[in-house]
Amino acid sequence: MNDKALLIALAPVVEENLHLHGDAAEGWQPQDLVPWDDGRNFAFLGGEDWAPEQSTLSEIGKLALTVGVLAADNMPSYHRELAKHLRIGPWWRWVGRWTAEENRHSIVIRDYLVLTRAVDPVALERIRMTHMTNNYNAPAMHLIEVLVNAAFEETASSIRHRNTAKLAGDPVVAGICEKIATDDELQRDFYANIVVAALDLVPDQAMRAIADRVRGFKVPTIPLADGRDSTTDLAEAGIYDPARQDELVFRPLLEKWNVFERTDLGVDGEKAREELASLRV
Ligand SMILES: [Fe+2]
């Protein structure tokens, strides 16, 4: 089935999951989680500019939140990638909803980082400009691959935020990251549920998409100061380790999709499933 036909065939499932998501997602307020009393002006308005000793946040907390805000700030790039594919009816409303949620994540982390002086705001702004200008280009994907990939990315993001909550050593950071992780998990469920419907509709085609995306999956890497990159630093900090992707990202979703127990596959689907079995899990 081509992508246009799939968009139409899956639209009722998208509509249903849009409602499920709306009912389950807590409409939390980013300003509630930021300790505004700790803030003060920068030199431009007569206060004092940032200096490293102004923050007591752990290095792990600074790293993980810097990656978190830059990943969310690059949301217009992801929005463009999604919007290329999901342009009709409930799909389009989902793109809007997802984008607004990601924007809330960047708002709350940025407010926290700048207000508590956890990181150099000038350096952060410089990296944000570079990151957004360099843009993000996803590999060319068909519709089901886009959905599978998004389910993997939201899973990875929720793991990153849950670990940041645990390892940053700060209750305010934990509060922020738990909220974001809960949103990520609901977003993961949205994409994963549409993949369930795609598997029922076109099992061989969906199995092929899953095998290809497991093989090709990479979390987006964020450039950091001094030429470091987020993937290496997060792995070293125990926040997100790509070596554990099979166990933590792929396996739970392959189980949800009932990949290894399905009995409705044709020759092409069986071939894709064999690849999956030998690939990683
Ligand atoms: Fe997310």
Side-chain angles (χ1 to χ4, degrees):
M1 212 181 255
N2 67 27
D3 282 358
K4 203 171 165 209
L6 277 171
L7 278 176
I8 293 165
L10 292 170
V13 187
V14 173
E15 184 77 56
E16 188 189 321
N17 276 279
L18 201 46
H19 288 297
L20 284 175
H21 184 88
D23 291 344
E26 189 196 339
W28 55 276
Q29 299 289 324
Q31 69 276 9
D32 287 346
L33 306 178
V34 176
W36 299 100
D37 276 354
D38 296 351
R40 60 203 156 99
N41 290 350
F42 289 91
F44 190 79
L45 290 181
E48 189 189 4
D49 270 341
W50 178 85
E53 62 275 11
Q54 291 165 352
S55 171
T56 54
L57 184 62
S58 64
E59 290 307 311
I60 287 188
K62 289 174 189 171
L63 165 71
L65 290 182
T66 300
V67 173
V69 74
L70 288 169
D73 273 339
N74 203 25
M75 168 266 303
S77 297
Y78 308 130
H79 173 93
R80 275 200 296 270
E81 292 292 332
L82 267 187
K84 276 197 296 210
H85 297 274
L86 315 181
R87 296 197 69 89
I88 63 160
W91 293 98
W92 193 232
R93 277 183 280 132
W94 166 254
V95 174
R97 167 87 201 203
W98 178 87
T99 304
E101 289 183 3
E102 294 300 313
N103 197 15
R104 183 188 287 158
H105 301 169
S106 97
I107 288 167
V108 70
I109 304 176
R110 174 170 297 281
D111 283 350
Y112 173 84
L113 286 176
V114 174
L115 180 130
T116 64
R117 297 175 177 244
V119 298
D120 180 353
V122 176
L124 188 66
E125 183 63 3
R126 205 173 286 141
I127 301 172
R128 187 181 75 85
M129 292 300 289
T130 307
H131 187 44
M132 277 292 297
T133 309
N134 288 346
N135 200 5
Y136 164 78
N137 283 310
M141 287 190 259
H142 296 296
L143 176 64
I144 304 177
E145 287 183 275
V146 170
L147 302 172
V148 169
N149 200 60
F152 291 159
E153 279 192 351
E154 292 300 347
T155 307
S157 178
S158 72
I159 292 168
R160 188 158 49 76
H161 287 119
R162 291 271 178 232
N163 283 334
T164 307
K166 254 188 276 169
L167 299 175
D170 183 293
V172 174
V173 172
I176 289 171
C177 290
E178 297 287 2
K179 289 279 189 215
I180 297 175
T182 302
D183 281 355
D184 286 334
E185 284 158 5
L186 291 171
Q187 293 168 341
R188 169 203 64 199
D189 292 346
F190 176 90
Y191 290 113
N193 289 345
I194 313 298
V195 174
V196 168
L199 274 161
D200 289 341
L201 187 68
V202 283
D204 283 15
Q205 193 178 338
M207 196 63 77
R208 167 50 54 202
I210 293 168
D212 287 351
R213 290 328 307 160
V214 167
R215 188 194 295 107
F217 183 68
K218 279 197 187 79
V219 281
T221 291
I222 314 282
L224 300 170
D226 311 323
R228 293 176 298 126
D229 76 70
S230 59
T231 304
T232 311
D233 283 22
L234 289 178
E236 279 170 10
I239 299 282
Y240 185 85
D241 185 358
R244 297 188 65 199
Q245 241 160 221
D246 294 3
E247 168 200 353
L248 300 176
V249 177
F250 303 131
R251 193 170 298 162
L253 284 165
L254 295 186
E255 274 171 22
K256 179 182 172 72
W257 295 329
N258 204 20
V259 157
F260 296 110
E261 274 79 46
R262 301 190 75 88
T263 55
D264 54 358
L265 297 178
V267 176
D268 292 345
E270 285 294 355
K271 192 163 169 281
R273 175 155 67 182
E274 275 165 32
E275 283 175 31
L276 267 173
S278 65
L279 269 175
R280 308 209 171 187
V281 278

